[in-house]
């Protein structure tokens, strides 16, 4: 066994930290203005391109950084330190775009990789959340291709993106299918931009689709492939959430530890009080065990054969569930250690407190992760707990 970061991982970690530190300079402006001006977006885009950390999940031959899952987790852990969801400015195109035809790749994916276009993923609907099979958006075939009708909610980056990956029930059989749709196509309307609990550099708007005409070439990955493609994304995406929440929790603990050592009440640093020490220690435990497991599973995904896919899906759920819940506990304690200052939006712990909450909701709620894990246990037994390589 060798748990050390590879030389390449260590370099990526340092590069990702340098980029994170640079982008962190925009956190307060993002918080105060609920976003950043276009000039800052351009500056950060250039910095991302200079760092070589754009599209880490896409192959180098298409212009991505071509990182392994373990390497991506290392990068995401650093980016997760950022507040305002500024980590999302270091773009990772939707994995579904790997299913592009060569023509679609040139039109959609390559420009995203190069930072010239931006995608967003529209699956959730008013009546289809945890249960995406309850899809009401339809795609009806006509002579020119397909006509989309429906409504999509919570479309992250929907304000900034210039095209959408839309899940719709296609044809009379309602085959779940993904469509690549330019956002300026007639019939698409951004109907509401809700304010959410967190400050996020992009918005999560709602859209309606009224007789939106797209060509036959808008189908991504084949008719009926929508759920499978979306599901195939979950393992990686959930691991990246786990990694980011660990990075966020670690930043919070660093800040809380330093504050506890510096802040004096009743004539002594609060770090000398055992109630504070308990919070620091419990937070260190939450971070350490979740980091180890997340990196283990990320490494396993890189080594996996196709038959391991289902078990790894459950392992990614364990990682996402455990890390997102643990980081929620960590940030709660760290805010407490800061006292009233922890409730002030100019402090990173306050922002992280609001921002980490959604990690228990998106990409499958904590309850849905538990269902996946239980399903794996019932169907295939407790092998999901085994270390890789054990017989
Ligand atoms: C900030 C934000 C950004 C998002 N970005 C995107 C995006 O870019 N694209 C996109 O398509 N979606 C996005 N989502 C949607 C997100 O994936 C959904 O909110 C999530 O899947 C849950 O769906 P829901 O909100 O409809 O909750 P519901 O499915 O209605 O769930 C409500 C509650 O019931 C529980 N529940 C549901 N079913 C079960 C069950 N079988 N057993 C036990 N408990 C259950 C849930 O865990 C939850 O606690 C985003 C959401 C947020 C908040």
């Amino acid at each position: 066994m060798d748990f050390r970061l590879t030389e390449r991982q260590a370099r990526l970690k340092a590069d990702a930290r340098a980029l994170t530190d640079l982008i962190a300079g925009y956190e307060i402006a993002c918080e105060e203005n609920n976003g950043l001006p276009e000039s800052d977006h351009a500056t950060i885009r250039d910095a991302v391109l200079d760092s070589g950390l754009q599209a880490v999940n896409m192959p180098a031959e298409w212009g991505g950084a071509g990182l392994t899952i373990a390497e991506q987790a290392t990068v995401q852990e650093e980016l997760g330190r950022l507040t305002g969801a500024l980590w999302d400015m270091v773009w990772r195109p939707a994995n579904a775009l790997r299913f592009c035809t060569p023509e679609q790749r040139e039109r959609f994916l390559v420009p995203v990789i190069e930072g010239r276009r931006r995608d967003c993923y529209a699956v959730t609907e008013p009546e289809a959340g945890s249960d995406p099979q309850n899809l009401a958006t339809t795609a009806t075939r006509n002579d020119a291709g397909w006509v989309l009708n429906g409504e999509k909610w919570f479309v992250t980056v929907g304000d900034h993106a210039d095209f959408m990956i839309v899940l719709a029930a296609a044809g009379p059989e309602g085959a779940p299918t993904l469509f690549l749709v330019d956002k300026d196509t007639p019939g698409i309307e951004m109907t509401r931009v809700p304010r959410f609990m967190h400050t996020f550099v992009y918005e999560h708007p709602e859209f309606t689709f009224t007789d939106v005409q797209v060509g036959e070439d808008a189908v991504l990955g084949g008719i009926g492939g929508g759920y499978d493609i979306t599901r195939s994304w979950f393992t990686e995406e959930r691991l990246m959430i786990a990694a980011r929440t660990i990075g966020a929790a670690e930043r919070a603990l660093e800040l809380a530890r330093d504050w506890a050592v510096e802040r004096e009440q009743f004539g002594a640093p609060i770090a000398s009080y055992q109630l504070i020490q308990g919070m620091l220690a419990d937070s260190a435990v939450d971070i350490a065990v979740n980091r180890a497991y997340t990196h283990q599973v990320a490494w396993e995904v890189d080594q996996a054969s196709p038959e391991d896919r289902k078990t790894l899906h459950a392992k990614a759920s364990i990682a996402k569930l455990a890390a997102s819940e643990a980081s929620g506990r960590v940030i709660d304690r760290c805010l407490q250690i800061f006292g009233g200052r922890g409730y002030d939006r100019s402090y990173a712990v306050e922002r992280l407190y609001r921002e980490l909450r959604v990690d228990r909701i998106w990409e499958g709620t904590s309850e849905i992760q538990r269902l996946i894990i239980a399903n794996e246990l019932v169907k295939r037994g407790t092998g999901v707990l085994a270390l890789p390589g054990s017989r």
Side-chain angles (χ1 to χ4, degrees), residues 84-88 124 129-130 154-157 196 198-204 234 237-242 244-245 320-321 324 354-369:
L86 295 175
W87 48 264
D88 207 12
T124 305
S130 298
F154 302 111
V155 183
T156 299
V157 197
F196 288 91
H198 58 206
T199 301
F200 202 102
V201 65
Y202 305 114
E203 305 284 0
H204 316 278
F234 279 148
E237 220 39 49
R238 288 175 181 158
L239 282 170
M240 297 311 142
I241 289 177
R244 281 200 303 271
T245 59
K320 196 254 187 193
L321 173 65
S324 62
R354 282 180 287 125
E355 292 169 18
L356 283 166
R357 187 63 184 86
V358 77
D359 291 301
R360 290 189 259 163
I361 296 172
W362 61 12
E363 297 296 337
T365 63
S366 287
E367 290 70 39
I368 295 302
Q369 307 309 325

Side-chain angles (χ1 to χ4, degrees), residues 186-238:
I188 299 180
E189 201 189 336
M190 197 160 81
T191 44
R192 198 169 80 99
V193 184
R195 283 301 308 273
F196 288 91
M197 180 171 164
H198 58 206
T199 301
F200 202 102
V201 65
Y202 305 114
E203 305 284 0
H204 316 278
E206 297 170 7
F207 289 90
T208 54
F209 298 77
T210 310
D211 295 331
V212 176
Q213 178 73 58
V214 295
E216 191 64 49
D217 60 357
V219 173
L220 175 65
I223 305 291
Y227 293 146
D228 285 344
I229 294 173
T230 305
R231 255 197 297 271
S232 70
W233 185 22
F234 279 148
T235 301
E236 293 181 27
E237 220 39 49
R238 288 175 181 158

Side-chain angles (χ1 to χ4, degrees), residues 87-101:
W87 48 264
D88 207 12
M89 298 187 80
V90 187
W91 59 93
R92 287 176 86 246
N95 281 339
L97 292 171
R98 288 195 202 145
F99 293 83
C100 280
T101 62

Side-chain angles (χ1 to χ4, degrees), residues 142-365:
N142 67 4
D143 291 344
W146 296 90
V147 179
L148 305 185
N149 278 289
E151 190 174 359
K152 293 290 178 185
W153 278 19
F154 302 111
V155 183
T156 299
V157 197
D159 56 323
H160 194 80
D162 65 341
F163 74 94
M164 317 175 80
I165 303 165
V166 181
L167 181 67
E173 61 286 0
T177 303
L178 294 172
F179 292 87
L180 291 163
V181 187
D182 285 315
K183 214 175 79 183
D184 59 4
T185 310
I188 299 180
E189 201 189 336
M190 197 160 81
T191 44
R192 198 169 80 99
V193 184
R195 283 301 308 273
F196 288 91
M197 180 171 164
H198 58 206
T199 301
F200 202 102
V201 65
Y202 305 114
E203 305 284 0
H204 316 278
E206 297 170 7
F207 289 90
T208 54
F209 298 77
T210 310
D211 295 331
V212 176
Q213 178 73 58
V214 295
E216 191 64 49
D217 60 357
V219 173
L220 175 65
I223 305 291
Y227 293 146
D228 285 344
I229 294 173
T230 305
R231 255 197 297 271
S232 70
W233 185 22
F234 279 148
T235 301
E236 293 181 27
E237 220 39 49
R238 288 175 181 158
L239 282 170
M240 297 311 142
I241 289 177
R244 281 200 303 271
T245 59
I246 292 159
E250 186 171 30
R251 179 182 181 192
L253 181 58
E254 286 167 14
L255 293 168
R257 178 263 168 214
D258 290 352
W259 177 249
V261 169
E262 182 189 317
R263 173 71 171 170
E264 293 196 5
Q265 287 295 286
F266 301 100
I270 59 172
S272 65
Y273 303 130
Q274 289 183 338
L275 290 174
I276 297 288
Q277 290 178 4
M279 290 196 271
L280 293 172
D282 286 345
S283 298
V285 172
D286 275 332
I287 294 166
V289 295
N290 280 292
R291 167 175 291 145
Y293 187 72
T294 299
H295 282 273
Q296 176 197 314
V297 180
W299 178 88
E300 283 186 69
V301 172
D302 287 327
Q303 319 300 319
S305 54
E307 62 270 20
D308 299 331
R309 201 174 53 89
K310 288 189 173 150
T311 299
L312 283 172
H313 184 68
K315 286 191 170 187
S317 286
I318 296 177
K320 196 254 187 193
L321 173 65
S324 62
E325 300 258 339
S327 62
R329 293 191 297 270
V330 170
I331 191 61
D332 189 69
R333 295 184 198 110
C334 291
L335 188 151
Q336 192 68 15
I337 289 170
F338 269 91
R341 289 166 177 82
Y343 212 61
D344 173 340
R345 286 178 184 227
S346 64
Y347 283 71
V349 286
E350 190 280 340
R351 300 194 297 275
L352 290 170
Y353 180 84
R354 282 180 287 125
E355 292 169 18
L356 283 166
R357 187 63 184 86
V358 77
D359 291 301
R360 290 189 259 163
I361 296 172
W362 61 12
E363 297 296 337
T365 63

Side-chain angles (χ1 to χ4, degrees), residues 15-25 27 75 78-82:
D15 290 350
R17 174 59 74 92
L19 181 63
T20 299
D21 289 347
L22 184 150
I23 299 176
E27 286 182 341
V75 170
E78 293 302 324
L79 296 175
R81 299 171 64 87
L82 289 164

